[in-house]
Amino acid sequence: MAQFYPIHAKRGRDAPSPPPDRSWTTSRYQLWRVVATTAIGLLALSFLVYQPNASRILGRLTDSKLQVTARKDWEWSEIEPSTSLQWRRCYNDTYDCARLDVPMDWLNPSDNAGQRVILAVIRLRATELDDYRGPIFFNPGGPGGSGVYALIDRGALLQAIAGKNHDIISFDPRGVGASLPRVECWDSPEKSRLWALQDVGVVNAHPGVVFDAFARATAFSEACEQNMNGSGLLSHISTASHARDLLELLHQTGQEKLKYWGFSYGTILGGVFAAMYPDKVERLVSDGNVDYREWHLQPYINFLHDTDKVMEAFYRYCHKAGPSDCDFHASTPTAIEERLASLLARIRKHPIIVPSAQSGPDMPQLITWSHVKRLISAALYRPNFMFKSFAKVLKALENGDGIPFYQLTRSENPTPPICSIETPLPDAEEGNADAFPAILCADSPPVDDTVEEFATFVEKLEQISSAAGDVNTLFRLACIGRNIRPKWRYTGPFRGNTSHPILYVANIADNVTPLISARNNSEGFPGSIVLVQNSYGHTSLSASSSCTAGYIQSYFQNGTLPDPDTVCEPDYYPFEDSHPRPGDELSMLSHDLSRARWNLESLLTIQ
């Protein structure tokens, strides 16, 4: 194992007339984007090209915007990379930033500049220093999500829940955001956008599309590996390398044991770290759990275990809400399901035309079956925030009106013309689309499907989830045609006696990280507890819960774990008015955190 670089002092603080709306047209360039999230982020994640339309949808619904922007006189490139953390004030002097120089290959470290990785690291300082508890490291998911962006966007909320006697630290993982080298599958953004415009739609939209999607995935993988060949990064992009980066960051902050909070794919990073370095884990909250073994060892299919349960929640809560609160209401939940099936069948044959208009779009647009299927998949990530608007869109489509769909999915900030794109070192981007398949495929066994085998795999996913199985074939598609294998890939065992038990958090039904995954993961770590939140969607953040927030706060502050089989209720349910409980600080914090733009669903593509 490589030696650590010199460690800084434990608490070192050194720092120094309206034009036509073109947003629909320009937004179609987003390949691999979704809903997650992320996913995404997923997982993410979700789910990836980031800044996806679905992510824009959620941002619009929650009125969430990046509150802190970089000063015009400051860039990441101005920070000199160092083999030790050298903090300097950044982003309106609200945070500390550093660029940490680490080996690209941890198994065979080299000082050669071409074999190094520069990690962009950011810290929100603790404000209650009389009882300072050290840093909590945080990963927002993906894979490919930007820790820098996420900490700026919601780090203060995480800190308020965990305790302001903690620093909150995050970083752009290797290949992502302001970390270098980046995973970039095209040598120009123009090529990326032009390629994305060739999207063939959801694999089973029409006969033969599955074969087009397979060929397109193969071509993309080949082009990506060819463009990235010079950097060597794809051989060192698996989660094992990210976990080792995290260990180095931990030691660079002067800490011996890790406190960590991970969401979606962040649960994979946390789980791999805990399995590799169990004696280094002091606190670990794992929310929205990806099954460790399935992610690394088996065909990735069981993640859809609860997807249709979330879809069924739409039918049930819409019926319960009544016609005044759910525009797609019908006499029974089953009648609502049949109503949606009828709408999909009609749009498959007769796509909706959105005519050009002064307020947009500037040219006619089609709303196809693939568009609606992707919107369905996006809505399942955050039912509390999306179901009501989703129902309005479905009612309008049923009446042949595509304007509500257009208004929900259009870009807030029209993309500039292709030839005007500039590519500076990013200051704060939600994530890197191309990093998602790179990391996923580095963690997974090789995919050598024939097109016929892939078509059979699609049928299997459809059988598991009729709501979104077809859309989520992207996880398999991402690895078709990939030939570069990681030098270091962790394959288990996924167990260990951590210094303190892990707290797993899971919804009663999560559309991409089912409850069973949390239970499976927990089995490998003695003393760990699964805290269940009685809500739907991806991660507990899909629904505010002061109960869940309270347990997480107690865990970080005192190490207290919930009793086995504890279930937390959310503060409100789908189709209800979303508002925190008056006078309840944790309810207000949880409410604001759940409304943040997590991008967990950025793996799907609305457009």
Side-chain angles (χ1 to χ4, degrees):
M1 183 63 67
Q3 297 296 311
F4 298 125
Y5 290 109
I7 299 173
H8 264 201
K10 185 167 184 177
R11 289 191 57 193
R13 295 290 195 185
D14 47 313
S17 78
D21 186 337
R22 305 177 188 275
S23 56
W24 174 294
T25 305
T26 57
S27 67
R28 294 196 63 189
Y29 80 92
Q30 335 224 22
L31 173 66
W32 290 111
R33 302 189 181 191
V34 196
V35 235
T37 260
T38 218
I40 114 227
L42 256 208
L43 254 199
L45 51 169
S46 66
F47 303 37
L48 204 252
V49 169
Y50 282 78
Q51 291 273 28
N53 279 340
S55 193
R56 290 191 183 109
I57 295 170
L58 300 178
R60 183 176 298 111
L61 289 177
T62 60
D63 297 323
S64 175
K65 297 180 180 179
L66 188 62
Q67 297 298 316
V68 182
T69 57
R71 296 197 314 265
K72 295 296 184 181
D73 61 346
W74 182 84
E75 303 286 345
W76 274 99
S77 57
E78 296 176 16
I79 299 179
E80 188 69 23
S82 173
T83 55
S84 61
L85 281 177
Q86 303 288 338
W87 297 110
R88 62 161 286 180
R89 299 299 282 171
C90 58
Y91 294 108
N92 296 334
D93 288 334
T94 305
Y95 303 89
D96 299 323
C97 290
R99 299 178 75 199
L100 185 64
D101 183 337
V102 300
M104 182 177 290
D105 181 355
W106 277 109
L107 300 181
N108 186 26
S110 170
D111 291 331
N112 186 308
Q115 298 178 46
R116 308 290 294 182
V117 167
I118 309 301
L119 299 175
V121 190
I122 187 169
R123 175 177 68 182
L124 176 63
R125 297 185 188 185
T127 57
E128 297 177 358
L129 300 180
D130 290 343
D131 185 28
Y132 178 69
R133 301 290 185 89
I136 294 172
F137 289 81
F138 148 65
N139 181 278
S146 166
V148 170
Y149 179 98
L151 192 142
I152 294 171
D153 190 45
R154 66 210 72 127
L157 293 170
L158 293 170
Q159 186 184 59
I161 290 175
K164 294 182 181 180
N165 50 359
H166 290 100
D167 300 326
I168 304 294
I169 295 178
S170 195
F171 64 103
D172 282 351
R174 51 176 62 201
V176 175
S179 291
L180 297 175
R182 286 168 50 85
V183 177
E184 292 181 323
C185 291
W186 304 100
D187 56 18
S188 72
E190 293 88 347
K191 287 183 180 179
S192 177
R193 289 180 59 195
L194 289 170
W195 175 256
L197 289 172
Q198 300 178 48
D199 175 37
V200 298
V202 177
V203 291
N204 60 346
H206 301 286
V209 171
V210 64
F211 305 119
D212 297 340
F214 185 92
R216 189 169 185 274
T218 303
F220 178 77
S221 294
E222 291 174 352
C224 188
E225 292 189 341
Q226 180 178 357
N227 193 59
M228 287 295 299
N229 189 51
S231 75
L233 182 63
L234 293 185
S235 297
H236 307 283
I237 197 71
S238 77
T239 299
S241 293
H242 295 292
R244 183 60 183 83
D245 290 342
L246 179 56
L247 180 65
E248 183 67 16
L249 281 165
L250 174 69
H251 284 202
Q252 288 289 336
T253 59
Q255 304 295 314
E256 289 299 322
K257 296 184 184 294
L258 177 74
K259 293 181 180 180
Y260 177 85
W261 196 349
F263 299 87
S264 197
Y265 165 78
T267 68
I268 288 290
L269 176 57
V272 169
F273 184 97
M276 292 173 64
Y277 315 109
D279 60 320
K280 297 288 185 181
V281 175
E282 183 176 355
R283 301 281 191 277
L284 197 157
V285 175
S286 187
D287 189 339
N289 290 270
V290 183
D291 190 299
Y292 304 146
R293 294 165 186 81
E294 188 180 45
W295 178 266
H296 287 93
L297 303 175
Q298 304 169 18
Y300 196 58
I301 58 175
N302 290 324
F303 71 102
L304 296 173
H305 184 275
D306 289 348
T307 308
D308 283 2
K309 293 179 183 178
V310 184
M311 189 74 243
E312 289 161 6
F314 171 75
Y315 306 137
R316 188 169 65 255
Y317 281 103
C318 176
H319 177 257
K320 180 180 179 181
S324 60
D325 288 318
C326 179
D327 286 16
F328 208 63
H329 183 268
S331 58
T332 66
T334 300
I336 298 172
E337 180 178 7
E338 293 170 350
R339 186 176 176 183
L340 178 57
S342 177
L343 172 62
L344 285 167
R346 178 148 48 92
I347 288 181
R348 198 171 208 160
K349 292 182 179 180
H350 306 288
I352 303 295
I353 299 173
V354 182
S356 59
Q358 184 66 21
S359 59
D362 64 332
M363 58 184 292
Q365 302 293 334
L366 292 181
I367 300 173
T368 67
W369 182 88
S370 289
H371 291 133
V372 179
K373 284 290 288 185
R374 285 167 170 165
L375 179 61
I376 290 170
S377 186
L380 301 182
Y381 281 83
R382 299 180 78 181
N384 281 19
F385 295 107
M386 286 199 69
F387 274 3
K388 185 173 284 192
S389 295
F390 174 57
K392 292 180 184 296
V393 168
L394 294 180
K395 174 65 179 300
L397 291 175
E398 197 175 50
N399 293 331
D401 179 7
I403 293 298
F405 182 100
Y406 163 73
Q407 291 173 336
L408 186 64
T409 61
R410 66 177 179 173
S411 170
E412 295 169 340
N413 300 303
T415 306
I418 287 179
C419 294
S420 71
I421 297 177
E422 298 178 357
T423 56
L425 185 65
D427 284 322
E429 63 172 1
E430 286 187 80
N432 179 353
D434 294 343
F436 165 70
I439 298 169
L440 166 67
C441 304
D443 283 346
S444 308
V447 175
D448 56 1
D449 292 359
T450 64
V451 68
E452 292 81 11
E453 289 170 335
F454 177 70
T456 300
F457 178 80
V458 171
E459 293 174 359
K460 185 180 297 185
L461 289 193
E462 289 181 275
Q463 291 169 3
I464 296 172
S465 172
S466 59
D470 43 18
V471 175
N472 281 285
T473 57
L474 62 90
F475 287 95
R476 189 77 169 182
L477 274 173
C479 299
I480 288 171
R482 297 259 169 177
N483 295 309
I484 296 177
R485 298 302 298 159
K487 181 176 179 180
W488 188 14
R489 173 174 168 253
Y490 189 76
T491 57
F494 295 98
R495 61 178 182 267
N497 290 308
T498 52
S499 294
H500 192 81
I502 296 172
L503 175 58
Y504 291 93
V505 183
N507 282 341
I508 194 71
D510 185 311
N511 57 307
V512 286
T513 55
L515 175 58
I516 189 62
S517 294
R519 300 201 190 281
N520 289 342
N521 292 347
S522 176
E523 287 180 357
F525 293 91
S528 63
I529 291 292
V530 178
L531 173 64
V532 177
Q533 184 169 293
N534 189 28
S535 58
Y536 299 85
H538 186 40
T539 82
S540 69
L541 298 169
S542 61
S544 160
S545 172
S546 55
C547 171
T548 300
Y551 279 117
I552 290 173
Q553 185 177 80
S554 295
Y555 177 75
F556 277 121
Q557 289 295 314
N558 310 313
T560 307
L561 286 159
D563 292 332
D565 302 319
T566 297
V567 177
C568 277
E569 293 298 323
D571 293 342
Y572 39 82
Y573 296 88
F575 294 99
E576 293 182 355
D577 291 336
S578 59
H579 52 77
R581 295 172 180 170
D584 186 333
E585 182 181 8
L586 281 177
S587 178
M588 291 186 284
L589 290 170
S590 179
H591 172 81
D592 289 344
L593 189 59
S594 69
R595 293 175 67 86
R597 190 164 159 173
W598 280 90
N599 198 46
L600 297 171
E601 54 293 309
S602 51
L603 296 182
L604 311 175
T605 307
I606 293 294
Q607 300 286 342

